[in-house]
Amino acid sequence: MAGANAIRGSRVGSGPMGESERGEAAPRIFVSYWCGNGHETTPSFAQGTEVEIPQVWDCPRCGLPAGRDRDAPPEPPRTEPYKTHLAYVKERRSDQEGESLLEEALRTLRERGVGAGSSE
């Protein structure tokens, strides 16, 4: 059989190995988290005094933050709508400041002879 795969049907970690060959699994603790959509996620953490279990976990089903209190899940993050450059400028400047800056820029251009009506 030309081109046959010699290790067909096997993968890393497969086989008859049990705990006796791999060693004992570390003791684990399972913690439940609930998101605003009611999904439950139960990741496992190593048991120990130096292990810090997070208060918030991302839900793998919907991506919302999930908390450990089933009746009071964390609020979804606020998403700001996309702002244009002009919107950011308008946040920093009032209409009067904008008019003043525009007049100053036009005056400077006119003094240099640049603008409508000039032939360059």
Side-chain angles (χ1 to χ4, degrees):
M1 196 175 187
N5 192 348
I7 58 171
R8 191 166 134 203
S10 64
R11 66 173 201 261
V12 174
S14 69
M17 286 191 338
E19 278 194 11
S20 63
E21 295 179 28
R22 285 188 301 228
E24 290 186 31
R28 310 294 286 169
I29 182 171
F30 293 88
V31 179
S32 291
Y33 293 90
W34 289 271
C35 70
N37 289 331
H39 303 137
E40 181 181 10
T41 304
T42 311
S44 65
F45 301 94
Q47 282 184 342
T49 56
E50 62 274 349
V51 176
E52 185 176 326
I53 296 175
Q55 293 297 316
V56 178
W57 192 264
D58 289 336
C59 177
R61 290 181 64 191
C62 64
L64 290 176
R68 295 169 70 181
D69 184 1
R70 180 182 216 158
D71 298 324
E75 292 291 322
R78 284 188 48 143
T79 53
E80 294 290 326
Y82 174 77
K83 290 184 183 178
T84 64
H85 176 70
L86 181 60
Y88 284 110
V89 170
K90 286 184 174 184
E91 284 180 0
R92 294 191 312 264
R93 307 255 189 233
S94 68
D95 288 342
Q96 284 182 330
E97 289 174 314
E99 289 292 328
S100 172
L101 288 171
L102 178 61
E103 286 301 320
E104 182 181 332
L106 288 173
R107 185 174 48 252
T108 302
L109 288 173
R110 288 181 186 128
E111 288 171 0
R112 292 184 185 165
V114 178
S118 67
S119 58
E120 292 185 27

